[in-house]
Amino acid sequence: GAGVSQSPRYKVAKRGQDVALRCDPISGHVSLFWYQQALGQGPEFLTYFQNEAQLDKSGLPSDRFFAERPEGSVSTLKIQRTQQEDSAVYLCASSLGGSDQPQHFGDGTRLSIL
Amino acid sequence: QKEVEQDPGPLSVPEGAIVSLNCTYSNSAFQYFMWYRQYSRKGPELLMYTYSSGNKEDGRFTAQVDKSSKYISLFIRDSQPSDSATYLCGPAGGLVFGAGTILRVKS
């Protein structure tokens, strides 16, 4: 596709459930990033892939958060045993080269934990 | 101190005004800087990608970097109601962003 695609756009889950968020980057983009954005805040870095290698996961808030990009294209962010503080917008971005290249964002998945 | 700081606003201006949006950063190693525009319920959209010091112009938008004072600016000329959004700044490679400045342009 022309841009970064994320699905679902909205997700409501009960506390304790597991959720999976999907990101389709721009075709040919090497790098993929996940961010968490709380209301009124800028995106907070979660993790970064270059092709299928996860180069940085220092932003993942706990071991309940897990991301993968097994074939170097589509990525999935999984959150296990969700908690209310996980409610946020999860943004995915991709770039043609490394992390110093311009990043192109999807419209995010808005996650609400009840 | 956060790595990137922005005044959250909101900044309200009349249509046609010149807008100045600003960021400060703490890490002098940053070389490239990005400005994004984010509309409500949408992802950030890349506006400007600029290197080091000096100015870069693109239509009504001008980005300015002052490395000596670790200060970056985005100027919007002839502002339009459609410019009403949140503006985010961040250093390329830093994987950090400011909290964003809310801009409202009134017609």
Side-chain angles (χ1 to χ4, degrees), chain B residues 25 28 30-33 49-57 63-73:
Chain B
Y25 63 95
S28 57
F30 295 141
Q31 296 291 319
Y32 295 86
F33 300 90
Y49 177 76
T50 184
Y51 172 74
S52 195
S53 293
N55 293 357
K56 179 177 180 180
E57 189 173 321
Q64 190 174 77
V65 178
D66 182 346
K67 290 202 75 179
S68 62
S69 56
K70 300 195 187 81
Y71 197 83
I72 56 179
S73 301

Side-chain angles (χ1 to χ4, degrees), chain A residues 37-105:
Chain A
Q37 187 174 30
L39 190 65
Q41 298 297 314
E44 294 281 341
F45 170 74
L46 294 177
T47 187
Y48 158 48
F49 291 86
Q50 197 163 90
N51 297 306
E52 67 276 9
Q54 190 173 21
L55 298 188
D56 189 341
K57 56 180 181 179
S58 61
L60 296 176
S62 77
D63 59 7
R64 297 187 296 103
F65 287 70
F66 172 77
E68 60 183 5
R69 194 186 185 198
E71 297 178 359
S73 178
V74 171
S75 177
T76 304
L77 176 67
K78 298 179 179 177
I79 309 173
Q80 298 176 324
R81 304 182 303 282
T82 53
Q83 299 178 6
Q84 283 193 321
E85 60 262 32
D86 300 334
S87 296
V89 175
Y90 291 84
L91 294 166
C92 176
S94 68
S95 71
L96 190 58
S99 63
D100 62 343
Q101 296 296 302
Q103 296 178 30
H104 301 269
F105 284 83

Side-chain angles (χ1 to χ4, degrees), chain A residues 9-10 33 35 37 40-43 45 48 56 91 99-107 110, chain B residues 2 32 34 36 38 40-46 49 88 92-100:
Chain A
R9 285 296 316 278
Y10 302 92
F33 310 82
Y35 293 88
Q37 187 174 30
Q41 298 297 314
F45 170 74
Y48 158 48
D56 189 341
L91 294 166
S99 63
D100 62 343
Q101 296 296 302
Q103 296 178 30
H104 301 269
F105 284 83
D107 284 336
R110 186 175 297 270
Chain B
K2 289 188 175 182
Y32 295 86
M34 304 180 291
Y36 287 85
Q38 187 173 24
S40 179
R41 297 184 179 272
K42 302 289 276 184
E45 170 195 7
L46 182 67
Y49 177 76
L88 300 163
L95 303 175
V96 293
F97 290 88

